Amino acid sequence: MALRQLARNQADFWDLFRFSWDVQDGGLQKTLVRVTEHCAECFKASGASLFLRDGDADSCELVASCGSAGKGLKDVRIKVGDGIAGTAMEI
């Protein structure tokens, strides 16, 4: 059972590489949302959000979200070191 689950988790991870950035199909933004949705599915989460840091900036910006994590969020920035997303950006 554990080996079967491990194989499934690896397959889910490698599925992320099948997403392509197609300008004709919504471009980068749509691709980021699709990747975020896939991550939420892999973790069986009700929602997910993706924050990116631009170079050495002291904050990260919400670039994609899905499910309950994305309801009502727009133009969100998190300072590096604040909360889960900000702490992850320090690593």
Side-chain angles (χ1 to χ4, degrees), residues 7-85:
R8 175 67 180 141
N9 290 348
Q10 288 176 333
D12 288 343
F13 172 77
W14 289 109
D15 272 352
L16 289 172
F17 293 99
R18 71 181 164 86
F19 294 105
S20 63
W21 176 16
D22 184 353
V23 174
Q24 300 300 319
D25 190 30
L28 179 60
Q29 183 60 41
K30 186 171 181 178
T31 301
L32 292 173
V33 171
R34 287 178 21 211
V35 167
T36 304
E37 290 169 343
H38 183 73
C39 289
E41 289 172 18
C42 289
F43 286 99
K44 297 179 179 28
S46 61
S49 55
L50 176 63
F51 287 84
L52 294 180
R53 183 177 181 182
D54 187 8
D56 291 331
D58 66 347
S59 64
C60 44
E61 179 181 1
L62 176 69
V63 295
S65 62
C66 67
S68 61
K71 289 184 180 174
L73 296 180
K74 198 170 196 172
D75 300 323
V76 176
R77 296 190 76 79
I78 295 177
K79 187 174 178 181
V80 173
D82 288 350
I84 295 170

